[in-house]
Amino acid sequence: MFTGMRIFRGAYRTRTNRSRSLRRDSTDAERILWSALRARQLDGLKFVRQEPIGRYFADFACRDAKLVVELDGGQHADSAYDKRRDAAMIDAGYRVLRLWNNDVMNNLEGALVIIAREARRAPHPDPLPAGGERE
């Protein structure tokens, strides 16, 4: 069977399967952060895990705030791949916040404060129409 076939609401089987695999094989830091982000626990924000954005998958994404949260271990320091990935997510309209796994493991509350602050710093709404103030 063709695995790239759409199955529901615009989803593609290969992307869905990859997202499920990434969620199943999440790191300890990802599991800890997800337990604090899920079910709108952080300022009522809806986060999803392993969200496909372009050809990449975001560790966590808040669609409403257009924010991606990436958790990194030591192997990510100055990674050219991560720079390309960030650029693709930025091109898709998201802001990317990178946190170290150790930050989540050793100071979850501090990491959540940073995420909430960044989520509230949403992009400015569309400019006013040429005619002046909105009604």
Side-chain angles (χ1 to χ4, degrees):
M1 175 178 238
F2 177 63
T3 59
M5 186 173 89
R6 280 180 181 237
I7 52 176
F8 55 92
R9 288 186 291 154
Y12 288 88
R13 186 165 301 186
T14 53
R15 289 166 53 115
T16 300
N17 289 341
R18 177 71 175 143
S19 289
R20 287 178 180 156
S21 171
L22 290 167
R23 287 191 297 266
R24 185 178 51 249
D25 300 332
S26 61
T27 66
D28 290 342
E30 288 172 339
R31 282 191 288 278
I32 288 168
L33 184 57
W34 178 241
S35 71
L37 293 178
R38 67 188 302 269
R40 299 182 186 267
Q41 293 179 86
L42 183 65
D43 286 354
L45 297 165
K46 168 105 172 118
F47 280 88
V48 293
R49 293 186 295 164
Q50 302 304 335
E51 172 76 354
I53 298 175
R55 58 182 279 213
Y56 299 101
F57 290 81
D59 289 343
F60 303 94
C62 179
R63 296 175 188 136
D64 291 340
K66 299 297 278 185
L67 176 65
V68 165
V69 178
E70 290 292 315
L71 293 184
D72 295 334
Q75 75 276 13
H76 289 275
D78 296 325
S79 165
Y81 174 80
D82 285 344
K83 288 178 184 166
R84 286 191 306 273
R85 211 166 164 268
D86 288 356
M89 291 184 186
I90 290 166
D91 286 346
Y94 284 84
R95 290 170 291 127
V96 179
L97 173 63
R98 289 193 167 275
L99 299 173
W100 292 105
N101 288 340
N102 286 340
D103 292 336
V104 170
M105 301 292 285
N106 299 321
N107 185 10
L108 178 60
E109 290 304 315
L112 292 173
V113 166
I114 291 168
I115 294 167
R117 182 179 55 212
E118 190 62 29
R120 284 191 299 269
R121 200 183 69 102
H124 191 277
D126 293 334
L128 294 173
E133 295 283 331
R134 293 184 179 157
E135 295 179 28

mmCIF file of all heavy atoms in Angstrom, residues 18-66:
data_model
loop_
_atom_site.group_PDB
_atom_site.id
_atom_site.type_symbol
_atom_site.label_atom_id
_atom_site.label_comp_id
_atom_site.label_asym_id
_atom_site.label_seq_id
_atom_site.Cartn_x
_atom_site.Cartn_y
_atom_site.Cartn_z
ATOM 1 N N ARG A 18 5.578 8.508 11.730
ATOM 2 C CA ARG A 18 6.837 9.044 12.248
ATOM 3 C C ARG A 18 6.595 9.813 13.550
ATOM 4 O O ARG A 18 7.350 9.682 14.508
ATOM 5 C CB ARG A 18 7.504 9.941 11.192
ATOM 6 C CG ARG A 18 8.770 10.590 11.638
ATOM 7 C CD ARG A 18 9.897 9.584 11.758
ATOM 8 N NE ARG A 18 11.125 10.297 12.078
ATOM 9 C CZ ARG A 18 12.037 9.836 12.886
ATOM 10 N NH1 ARG A 18 11.921 8.643 13.421
ATOM 11 N NH2 ARG A 18 13.101 10.538 13.159
ATOM 12 N N SER A 19 5.546 10.619 13.603
ATOM 13 C CA SER A 19 5.214 11.356 14.827
ATOM 14 C C SER A 19 4.953 10.390 15.975
ATOM 15 O O SER A 19 5.431 10.585 17.096
ATOM 16 C CB SER A 19 3.976 12.230 14.620
ATOM 17 O OG SER A 19 4.263 13.317 13.792
ATOM 18 N N ARG A 20 4.198 9.336 15.704
ATOM 19 C CA ARG A 20 3.902 8.352 16.749
ATOM 20 C C ARG A 20 5.174 7.678 17.244
ATOM 21 O O ARG A 20 5.345 7.457 18.442
ATOM 22 C CB ARG A 20 2.922 7.310 16.216
ATOM 23 C CG ARG A 20 1.525 7.837 16.076
ATOM 24 C CD ARG A 20 0.596 6.796 15.509
ATOM 25 N NE ARG A 20 -0.738 7.348 15.388
ATOM 26 C CZ ARG A 20 -1.646 6.905 14.541
ATOM 27 N NH1 ARG A 20 -1.377 5.890 13.745
ATOM 28 N NH2 ARG A 20 -2.824 7.456 14.495
ATOM 29 N N SER A 21 6.052 7.361 16.316
ATOM 30 C CA SER A 21 7.316 6.725 16.683
ATOM 31 C C SER A 21 8.163 7.640 17.560
ATOM 32 O O SER A 21 8.726 7.220 18.575
ATOM 33 C CB SER A 21 8.086 6.337 15.417
ATOM 34 O OG SER A 21 9.368 5.907 15.732
ATOM 35 N N LEU A 22 8.244 8.916 17.189
ATOM 36 C CA LEU A 22 9.014 9.882 17.973
ATOM 37 C C LEU A 22 8.412 10.071 19.363
ATOM 38 O O LEU A 22 9.142 10.206 20.355
ATOM 39 C CB LEU A 22 9.103 11.217 17.236
ATOM 40 C CG LEU A 22 9.977 11.224 15.984
ATOM 41 C CD1 LEU A 22 9.746 12.493 15.164
ATOM 42 C CD2 LEU A 22 11.441 11.072 16.350
ATOM 43 N N ARG A 23 7.093 10.082 19.459
ATOM 44 C CA ARG A 23 6.454 10.220 20.772
ATOM 45 C C ARG A 23 6.725 8.987 21.635
ATOM 46 O O ARG A 23 7.004 9.102 22.823
ATOM 47 C CB ARG A 23 4.947 10.448 20.616
ATOM 48 C CG ARG A 23 4.599 11.830 20.116
ATOM 49 C CD ARG A 23 3.113 12.120 20.233
ATOM 50 N NE ARG A 23 2.285 11.253 19.434
ATOM 51 C CZ ARG A 23 1.854 11.526 18.203
ATOM 52 N NH1 ARG A 23 2.202 12.662 17.619
ATOM 53 N NH2 ARG A 23 1.083 10.682 17.558
ATOM 54 N N ARG A 24 6.649 7.821 21.034
ATOM 55 C CA ARG A 24 6.875 6.572 21.767
ATOM 56 C C ARG A 24 8.314 6.485 22.274
ATOM 57 O O ARG A 24 8.571 5.985 23.362
ATOM 58 C CB ARG A 24 6.556 5.387 20.849
ATOM 59 C CG ARG A 24 6.627 4.040 21.518
ATOM 60 C CD ARG A 24 6.265 2.892 20.587
ATOM 61 N NE ARG A 24 6.997 2.917 19.340
ATOM 62 C CZ ARG A 24 6.466 3.176 18.138
ATOM 63 N NH1 ARG A 24 5.191 3.457 18.016
ATOM 64 N NH2 ARG A 24 7.207 3.173 17.053
ATOM 65 N N ASP A 25 9.273 7.002 21.496
ATOM 66 C CA ASP A 25 10.693 6.905 21.841
ATOM 67 C C ASP A 25 11.238 8.191 22.449
ATOM 68 O O ASP A 25 12.420 8.489 22.321
ATOM 69 C CB ASP A 25 11.498 6.538 20.587
ATOM 70 C CG ASP A 25 11.076 5.209 19.999
ATOM 71 O OD1 ASP A 25 10.591 4.345 20.759
ATOM 72 O OD2 ASP A 25 11.221 5.026 18.779
ATOM 73 N N SER A 26 10.387 8.965 23.125
ATOM 74 C CA SER A 26 10.823 10.251 23.662
ATOM 75 C C SER A 26 11.861 10.074 24.770
ATOM 76 O O SER A 26 11.933 9.043 25.430
ATOM 77 C CB SER A 26 9.624 11.048 24.169
ATOM 78 O OG SER A 26 8.967 10.359 25.190
ATOM 79 N N THR A 27 12.654 11.120 24.965
ATOM 80 C CA THR A 27 13.689 11.113 25.994
ATOM 81 C C THR A 27 13.063 11.388 27.359
ATOM 82 O O THR A 27 11.900 11.817 27.452
ATOM 83 C CB THR A 27 14.749 12.199 25.723
ATOM 84 O OG1 THR A 27 14.125 13.486 25.849
ATOM 85 C CG2 THR A 27 15.358 12.052 24.330
ATOM 86 N N ASP A 28 13.822 11.172 28.416
ATOM 87 C CA ASP A 28 13.328 11.473 29.766
ATOM 88 C C ASP A 28 12.937 12.943 29.879
ATOM 89 O O ASP A 28 11.899 13.272 30.452
ATOM 90 C CB ASP A 28 14.381 11.139 30.817
ATOM 91 C CG ASP A 28 14.597 9.635 30.975
ATOM 92 O OD1 ASP A 28 13.728 8.844 30.539
ATOM 93 O OD2 ASP A 28 15.641 9.254 31.536
ATOM 94 N N ALA A 29 13.768 13.823 29.349
ATOM 95 C CA ALA A 29 13.485 15.262 29.428
ATOM 96 C C ALA A 29 12.198 15.593 28.672
ATOM 97 O O ALA A 29 11.385 16.402 29.149
ATOM 98 C CB ALA A 29 14.657 16.071 28.872
ATOM 99 N N GLU A 30 11.980 14.975 27.515
ATOM 100 C CA GLU A 30 10.748 15.218 26.756
ATOM 101 C C GLU A 30 9.528 14.727 27.533
ATOM 102 O O GLU A 30 8.498 15.419 27.568
ATOM 103 C CB GLU A 30 10.811 14.527 25.393
ATOM 104 C CG GLU A 30 11.755 15.186 24.431
ATOM 105 C CD GLU A 30 11.958 14.397 23.148
ATOM 106 O OE1 GLU A 30 11.698 13.162 23.128
ATOM 107 O OE2 GLU A 30 12.390 15.005 22.160
ATOM 108 N N ARG A 31 9.628 13.577 28.181
ATOM 109 C CA ARG A 31 8.501 13.056 28.970
ATOM 110 C C ARG A 31 8.186 13.981 30.147
ATOM 111 O O ARG A 31 7.020 14.250 30.443
ATOM 112 C CB ARG A 31 8.796 11.645 29.462
ATOM 113 C CG ARG A 31 8.619 10.579 28.384
ATOM 114 C CD ARG A 31 8.661 9.174 28.950
ATOM 115 N NE ARG A 31 9.990 8.767 29.373
ATOM 116 C CZ ARG A 31 10.938 8.294 28.565
ATOM 117 N NH1 ARG A 31 10.709 8.174 27.284
ATOM 118 N NH2 ARG A 31 12.111 7.945 29.040
ATOM 119 N N ILE A 32 9.218 14.479 30.806
ATOM 120 C CA ILE A 32 9.009 15.378 31.948
ATOM 121 C C ILE A 32 8.365 16.684 31.495
ATOM 122 O O ILE A 32 7.396 17.157 32.105
ATOM 123 C CB ILE A 32 10.347 15.641 32.674
ATOM 124 C CG1 ILE A 32 10.775 14.374 33.430
ATOM 125 C CG2 ILE A 32 10.253 16.835 33.615
ATOM 126 C CD1 ILE A 32 12.197 14.412 33.946
ATOM 127 N N LEU A 33 8.886 17.261 30.414
ATOM 128 C CA LEU A 33 8.311 18.516 29.927
ATOM 129 C C LEU A 33 6.885 18.293 29.436
ATOM 130 O O LEU A 33 6.002 19.106 29.714
ATOM 131 C CB LEU A 33 9.182 19.127 28.819
ATOM 132 C CG LEU A 33 8.716 20.487 28.310
ATOM 133 C CD1 LEU A 33 8.621 21.509 29.442
ATOM 134 C CD2 LEU A 33 9.645 20.997 27.218
ATOM 135 N N TRP A 34 6.642 17.198 28.735
ATOM 136 C CA TRP A 34 5.293 16.940 28.241
ATOM 137 C C TRP A 34 4.303 16.820 29.402
ATOM 138 O O TRP A 34 3.173 17.320 29.314
ATOM 139 C CB TRP A 34 5.261 15.681 27.378
ATOM 140 C CG TRP A 34 3.881 15.359 26.886
ATOM 141 C CD1 TRP A 34 3.152 14.244 27.133
ATOM 142 C CD2 TRP A 34 3.045 16.194 26.068
ATOM 143 N NE1 TRP A 34 1.924 14.316 26.521
ATOM 144 C CE2 TRP A 34 1.830 15.510 25.859
ATOM 145 C CE3 TRP A 34 3.205 17.458 25.497
ATOM 146 C CZ2 TRP A 34 0.790 16.041 25.107
ATOM 147 C CZ3 TRP A 34 2.168 17.992 24.747
ATOM 148 C CH2 TRP A 34 0.980 17.286 24.554
ATOM 149 N N SER A 35 4.713 16.221 30.505
ATOM 150 C CA SER A 35 3.807 16.079 31.643
ATOM 151 C C SER A 35 3.398 17.443 32.198
ATOM 152 O O SER A 35 2.322 17.574 32.782
ATOM 153 C CB SER A 35 4.420 15.212 32.735
ATOM 154 O OG SER A 35 5.481 15.886 33.379
ATOM 155 N N ALA A 36 4.223 18.463 31.980
ATOM 156 C CA ALA A 36 3.909 19.815 32.458
ATOM 157 C C ALA A 36 3.188 20.662 31.413
ATOM 158 O O ALA A 36 2.527 21.642 31.756
ATOM 159 C CB ALA A 36 5.190 20.526 32.884
ATOM 160 N N LEU A 37 3.307 20.296 30.127
ATOM 161 C CA LEU A 37 2.693 21.083 29.053
ATOM 162 C C LEU A 37 1.327 20.544 28.625
ATOM 163 O O LEU A 37 0.487 21.302 28.150
ATOM 164 C CB LEU A 37 3.600 21.116 27.820
ATOM 165 C CG LEU A 37 4.925 21.846 27.939
ATOM 166 C CD1 LEU A 37 5.701 21.728 26.629
ATOM 167 C CD2 LEU A 37 4.720 23.303 28.315
ATOM 168 N N ARG A 38 1.122 19.253 28.777
ATOM 169 C CA ARG A 38 -0.087 18.633 28.233
ATOM 170 C C ARG A 38 -1.337 19.149 28.922
ATOM 171 O O ARG A 38 -1.286 19.677 30.028
ATOM 172 C CB ARG A 38 0.008 17.116 28.332
ATOM 173 C CG ARG A 38 0.005 16.573 29.732
ATOM 174 C CD ARG A 38 0.284 15.075 29.768
ATOM 175 N NE ARG A 38 -0.665 14.317 29.003
ATOM 176 C CZ ARG A 38 -1.797 13.814 29.502
ATOM 177 N NH1 ARG A 38 -2.076 13.975 30.772
ATOM 178 N NH2 ARG A 38 -2.622 13.152 28.731
ATOM 179 N N ALA A 39 -2.451 19.017 28.234
ATOM 180 C CA ALA A 39 -3.768 19.362 28.785
ATOM 181 C C ALA A 39 -3.861 20.829 29.205
ATOM 182 O O ALA A 39 -4.517 21.139 30.201
ATOM 183 C CB ALA A 39 -4.131 18.423 29.941
ATOM 184 N N ARG A 40 -3.192 21.697 28.466
ATOM 185 C CA ARG A 40 -3.280 23.149 28.704
ATOM 186 C C ARG A 40 -2.883 23.567 30.110
ATOM 187 O O ARG A 40 -3.398 24.531 30.667
ATOM 188 C CB ARG A 40 -4.676 23.663 28.381
ATOM 189 C CG ARG A 40 -5.082 23.468 26.944
ATOM 190 C CD ARG A 40 -6.465 24.037 26.682
ATOM 191 N NE ARG A 40 -6.924 23.727 25.353
ATOM 192 C CZ ARG A 40 -6.762 24.526 24.299
ATOM 193 N NH1 ARG A 40 -6.163 25.674 24.428
ATOM 194 N NH2 ARG A 40 -7.221 24.176 23.122
ATOM 195 N N GLN A 41 -1.935 22.853 30.702
ATOM 196 C CA GLN A 41 -1.519 23.156 32.076
ATOM 197 C C GLN A 41 -0.692 24.422 32.187
ATOM 198 O O GLN A 41 -0.618 25.013 33.265
ATOM 199 C CB GLN A 41 -0.695 21.993 32.645
ATOM 200 C CG GLN A 41 -1.491 20.728 32.839
ATOM 201 C CD GLN A 41 -0.621 19.630 33.367
ATOM 202 O OE1 GLN A 41 -0.428 19.527 34.579
ATOM 203 N NE2 GLN A 41 -0.062 18.828 32.477
ATOM 204 N N LEU A 42 -0.050 24.836 31.115
ATOM 205 C CA LEU A 42 0.789 26.032 31.149
ATOM 206 C C LEU A 42 0.023 27.199 30.541
ATOM 207 O O LEU A 42 -0.144 27.296 29.325
ATOM 208 C CB LEU A 42 2.098 25.801 30.368
ATOM 209 C CG LEU A 42 3.080 26.964 30.392
ATOM 210 C CD1 LEU A 42 3.601 27.211 31.813
ATOM 211 C CD2 LEU A 42 4.238 26.696 29.455
ATOM 212 N N ASP A 43 -0.499 28.059 31.384
ATOM 213 C CA ASP A 43 -1.220 29.272 30.960
ATOM 214 C C ASP A 43 -2.344 28.993 29.969
ATOM 215 O O ASP A 43 -2.668 29.835 29.139
ATOM 216 C CB ASP A 43 -0.254 30.289 30.347
ATOM 217 C CG ASP A 43 0.610 30.974 31.374
ATOM 218 O OD1 ASP A 43 0.393 30.762 32.579
ATOM 219 O OD2 ASP A 43 1.513 31.736 30.974
ATOM 220 N N GLY A 44 -2.917 27.806 30.005
ATOM 221 C CA GLY A 44 -4.014 27.470 29.100
ATOM 222 C C GLY A 44 -3.583 27.259 27.655
ATOM 223 O O GLY A 44 -4.430 27.156 26.766
ATOM 224 N N LEU A 45 -2.274 27.162 27.408
ATOM 225 C CA LEU A 45 -1.757 27.004 26.046
ATOM 226 C C LEU A 45 -1.839 25.548 25.601
ATOM 227 O O LEU A 45 -1.512 24.644 26.368
ATOM 228 C CB LEU A 45 -0.303 27.478 25.975
ATOM 229 C CG LEU A 45 -0.077 28.947 26.274
ATOM 230 C CD1 LEU A 45 1.394 29.208 26.540
ATOM 231 C CD2 LEU A 45 -0.579 29.784 25.108
ATOM 232 N N LYS A 46 -2.259 25.332 24.384
ATOM 233 C CA LYS A 46 -2.348 23.982 23.826
ATOM 234 C C LYS A 46 -1.049 23.651 23.113
ATOM 235 O O LYS A 46 -0.694 24.273 22.116
ATOM 236 C CB LYS A 46 -3.506 23.908 22.832
ATOM 237 C CG LYS A 46 -3.529 22.659 21.995
ATOM 238 C CD LYS A 46 -4.584 21.732 22.467
ATOM 239 C CE LYS A 46 -4.723 20.580 21.487
ATOM 240 N NZ LYS A 46 -4.425 19.329 22.111
ATOM 241 N N PHE A 47 -0.321 22.687 23.648
ATOM 242 C CA PHE A 47 0.902 22.194 23.027
ATOM 243 C C PHE A 47 0.644 20.817 22.444
ATOM 244 O O PHE A 47 -0.169 20.054 22.967
ATOM 245 C CB PHE A 47 2.041 22.107 24.050
ATOM 246 C CG PHE A 47 2.699 23.414 24.335
ATOM 247 C CD1 PHE A 47 2.210 24.240 25.331
ATOM 248 C CD2 PHE A 47 3.800 23.826 23.609
ATOM 249 C CE1 PHE A 47 2.816 25.455 25.611
ATOM 250 C CE2 PHE A 47 4.410 25.040 23.874
ATOM 251 C CZ PHE A 47 3.922 25.855 24.870
ATOM 252 N N VAL A 48 1.350 20.509 21.375
ATOM 253 C CA VAL A 48 1.335 19.174 20.778
ATOM 254 C C VAL A 48 2.774 18.687 20.702
ATOM 255 O O VAL A 48 3.711 19.486 20.693
ATOM 256 C CB VAL A 48 0.677 19.173 19.381
ATOM 257 C CG1 VAL A 48 -0.802 19.483 19.487
ATOM 258 C CG2 VAL A 48 1.371 20.132 18.445
ATOM 259 N N ARG A 49 2.932 17.362 20.653
ATOM 260 C CA ARG A 49 4.272 16.768 20.574
ATOM 261 C C ARG A 49 4.554 16.280 19.165
ATOM 262 O O ARG A 49 3.665 15.807 18.471
ATOM 263 C CB ARG A 49 4.387 15.557 21.497
ATOM 264 C CG ARG A 49 4.310 15.858 22.930
ATOM 265 C CD ARG A 49 4.582 14.623 23.764
ATOM 266 N NE ARG A 49 3.552 13.610 23.590
ATOM 267 C CZ ARG A 49 3.695 12.349 23.940
ATOM 268 N NH1 ARG A 49 4.814 11.923 24.452
ATOM 269 N NH2 ARG A 49 2.716 11.499 23.778
ATOM 270 N N GLN A 50 5.819 16.366 18.788
ATOM 271 C CA GLN A 50 6.296 15.843 17.515
ATOM 272 C C GLN A 50 5.415 16.297 16.359
ATOM 273 O O GLN A 50 4.942 15.517 15.550
ATOM 274 C CB GLN A 50 6.423 14.318 17.568
ATOM 275 C CG GLN A 50 7.342 13.826 18.658
ATOM 276 C CD GLN A 50 8.746 14.419 18.583
ATOM 277 O OE1 GLN A 50 9.204 14.830 17.528
ATOM 278 N NE2 GLN A 50 9.437 14.460 19.702
ATOM 279 N N GLU A 51 5.227 17.594 16.283
ATOM 280 C CA GLU A 51 4.395 18.228 15.268
ATOM 281 C C GLU A 51 5.177 18.345 13.961
ATOM 282 O O GLU A 51 6.253 18.937 13.929
ATOM 283 C CB GLU A 51 3.983 19.625 15.753
ATOM 284 C CG GLU A 51 3.282 20.462 14.724
ATOM 285 C CD GLU A 51 1.842 20.032 14.510
ATOM 286 O OE1 GLU A 51 1.407 19.016 15.077
ATOM 287 O OE2 GLU A 51 1.147 20.731 13.772
ATOM 288 N N PRO A 52 4.646 17.794 12.857
ATOM 289 C CA PRO A 52 5.322 17.979 11.569
ATOM 290 C C PRO A 52 5.212 19.437 11.121
ATOM 291 O O PRO A 52 4.121 20.002 11.080
ATOM 292 C CB PRO A 52 4.555 17.071 10.614
ATOM 293 C CG PRO A 52 3.638 16.249 11.434
ATOM 294 C CD PRO A 52 3.486 16.932 12.762
ATOM 295 N N ILE A 53 6.350 20.041 10.834
ATOM 296 C CA ILE A 53 6.402 21.401 10.283
ATOM 297 C C ILE A 53 7.353 21.325 9.107
ATOM 298 O O ILE A 53 8.551 21.118 9.292
ATOM 299 C CB ILE A 53 6.878 22.428 11.328
ATOM 300 C CG1 ILE A 53 5.901 22.471 12.508
ATOM 301 C CG2 ILE A 53 7.022 23.809 10.690
ATOM 302 C CD1 ILE A 53 6.336 23.356 13.650
ATOM 303 N N GLY A 54 6.797 21.470 7.913
ATOM 304 C CA GLY A 54 7.622 21.266 6.728
ATOM 305 C C GLY A 54 8.107 19.834 6.711
ATOM 306 O O GLY A 54 7.347 18.900 6.972
ATOM 307 N N ARG A 55 9.389 19.649 6.474
ATOM 308 C CA ARG A 55 9.938 18.289 6.445
ATOM 309 C C ARG A 55 10.522 17.851 7.790
ATOM 310 O O ARG A 55 11.103 16.788 7.894
ATOM 311 C CB ARG A 55 10.985 18.172 5.350
ATOM 312 C CG ARG A 55 12.129 19.139 5.494
ATOM 313 C CD ARG A 55 13.092 19.009 4.360
ATOM 314 N NE ARG A 55 13.965 17.876 4.614
ATOM 315 C CZ ARG A 55 15.216 17.803 4.241
ATOM 316 N NH1 ARG A 55 15.741 18.759 3.547
ATOM 317 N NH2 ARG A 55 15.941 16.760 4.520
ATOM 318 N N TYR A 56 10.336 18.687 8.812
ATOM 319 C CA TYR A 56 10.896 18.404 10.133
ATOM 320 C C TYR A 56 9.775 18.153 11.146
ATOM 321 O O TYR A 56 8.617 18.420 10.875
ATOM 322 C CB TYR A 56 11.762 19.573 10.596
ATOM 323 C CG TYR A 56 12.922 19.837 9.668
ATOM 324 C CD1 TYR A 56 12.877 20.859 8.736
ATOM 325 C CD2 TYR A 56 14.058 19.043 9.718
ATOM 326 C CE1 TYR A 56 13.943 21.082 7.879
ATOM 327 C CE2 TYR A 56 15.128 19.272 8.866
ATOM 328 C CZ TYR A 56 15.067 20.292 7.941
ATOM 329 O OH TYR A 56 16.117 20.508 7.095
ATOM 330 N N PHE A 57 10.159 17.692 12.317
ATOM 331 C CA PHE A 57 9.219 17.451 13.403
ATOM 332 C C PHE A 57 9.675 18.260 14.612
ATOM 333 O O PHE A 57 10.811 18.109 15.066
ATOM 334 C CB PHE A 57 9.174 15.960 13.771
ATOM 335 C CG PHE A 57 8.533 15.118 12.709
ATOM 336 C CD1 PHE A 57 9.253 14.710 11.605
ATOM 337 C CD2 PHE A 57 7.208 14.745 12.808
ATOM 338 C CE1 PHE A 57 8.670 13.946 10.619
ATOM 339 C CE2 PHE A 57 6.609 13.977 11.819
ATOM 340 C CZ PHE A 57 7.350 13.572 10.727
ATOM 341 N N ALA A 58 8.784 19.101 15.119
ATOM 342 C CA ALA A 58 9.084 19.901 16.308
ATOM 343 C C ALA A 58 8.858 19.051 17.547
ATOM 344 O O ALA A 58 7.858 18.331 17.636
ATOM 345 C CB ALA A 58 8.187 21.129 16.351
ATOM 346 N N ASP A 59 9.758 19.140 18.530
ATOM 347 C CA ASP A 59 9.557 18.405 19.779
ATOM 348 C C ASP A 59 8.206 18.785 20.384
ATOM 349 O O ASP A 59 7.408 17.919 20.725
ATOM 350 C CB ASP A 59 10.675 18.698 20.776
ATOM 351 C CG ASP A 59 12.008 18.075 20.380
ATOM 352 O OD1 ASP A 59 12.030 17.159 19.536
ATOM 353 O OD2 ASP A 59 13.033 18.512 20.945
ATOM 354 N N PHE A 60 7.970 20.081 20.535
ATOM 355 C CA PHE A 60 6.714 20.601 21.062
ATOM 356 C C PHE A 60 6.351 21.838 20.262
ATOM 357 O O PHE A 60 7.218 22.626 19.905
ATOM 358 C CB PHE A 60 6.840 20.985 22.543
ATOM 359 C CG PHE A 60 7.298 19.847 23.405
ATOM 360 C CD1 PHE A 60 8.637 19.685 23.696
ATOM 361 C CD2 PHE A 60 6.387 18.938 23.912
ATOM 362 C CE1 PHE A 60 9.075 18.624 24.472
ATOM 363 C CE2 PHE A 60 6.819 17.875 24.686
ATOM 364 C CZ PHE A 60 8.169 17.715 24.971
ATOM 365 N N ALA A 61 5.056 22.027 20.019
ATOM 366 C CA ALA A 61 4.619 23.220 19.293
ATOM 367 C C ALA A 61 3.318 23.730 19.887
ATOM 368 O O ALA A 61 2.435 22.948 20.252
ATOM 369 C CB ALA A 61 4.425 22.911 17.809
ATOM 370 N N CYS A 62 3.240 25.035 19.997
ATOM 371 C CA CYS A 62 1.993 25.707 20.354
ATOM 372 C C CYS A 62 1.567 26.446 19.092
ATOM 373 O O CYS A 62 2.174 27.451 18.717
ATOM 374 C CB CYS A 62 2.207 26.666 21.518
ATOM 375 S SG CYS A 62 0.697 27.549 21.970
ATOM 376 N N ARG A 63 0.565 25.918 18.420
ATOM 377 C CA ARG A 63 0.140 26.486 17.143
ATOM 378 C C ARG A 63 -0.373 27.910 17.304
ATOM 379 O O ARG A 63 -0.090 28.762 16.471
ATOM 380 C CB ARG A 63 -0.927 25.601 16.511
ATOM 381 C CG ARG A 63 -0.423 24.218 16.144
ATOM 382 C CD ARG A 63 -1.568 23.357 15.641
ATOM 383 N NE ARG A 63 -1.154 21.987 15.458
ATOM 384 C CZ ARG A 63 -1.875 20.946 15.838
ATOM 385 N NH1 ARG A 63 -3.039 21.124 16.443
ATOM 386 N NH2 ARG A 63 -1.445 19.728 15.620
ATOM 387 N N ASP A 64 -1.159 28.162 18.362
ATOM 388 C CA ASP A 64 -1.735 29.493 18.555
ATOM 389 C C ASP A 64 -0.664 30.558 18.752
ATOM 390 O O ASP A 64 -0.768 31.659 18.220
ATOM 391 C CB ASP A 64 -2.685 29.505 19.746
ATOM 392 C CG ASP A 64 -3.956 28.712 19.476
ATOM 393 O OD1 ASP A 64 -4.283 28.479 18.292
ATOM 394 O OD2 ASP A 64 -4.617 28.310 20.452
ATOM 395 N N ALA A 65 0.364 30.246 19.523
ATOM 396 C CA ALA A 65 1.441 31.207 19.774
ATOM 397 C C ALA A 65 2.531 31.136 18.711
ATOM 398 O O ALA A 65 3.470 31.924 18.750
ATOM 399 C CB ALA A 65 2.053 30.959 21.151
ATOM 400 N N LYS A 66 2.401 30.184 17.773
ATOM 401 C CA LYS A 66 3.407 29.993 16.715
ATOM 402 C C LYS A 66 4.798 29.825 17.341
ATOM 403 O O LYS A 66 5.763 30.445 16.939
ATOM 404 C CB LYS A 66 3.391 31.145 15.702
ATOM 405 C CG LYS A 66 2.079 31.319 14.973
ATOM 406 C CD LYS A 66 1.718 30.121 14.135
ATOM 407 C CE LYS A 66 2.428 30.138 12.804
ATOM 408 N NZ LYS A 66 2.030 29.061 11.916
#
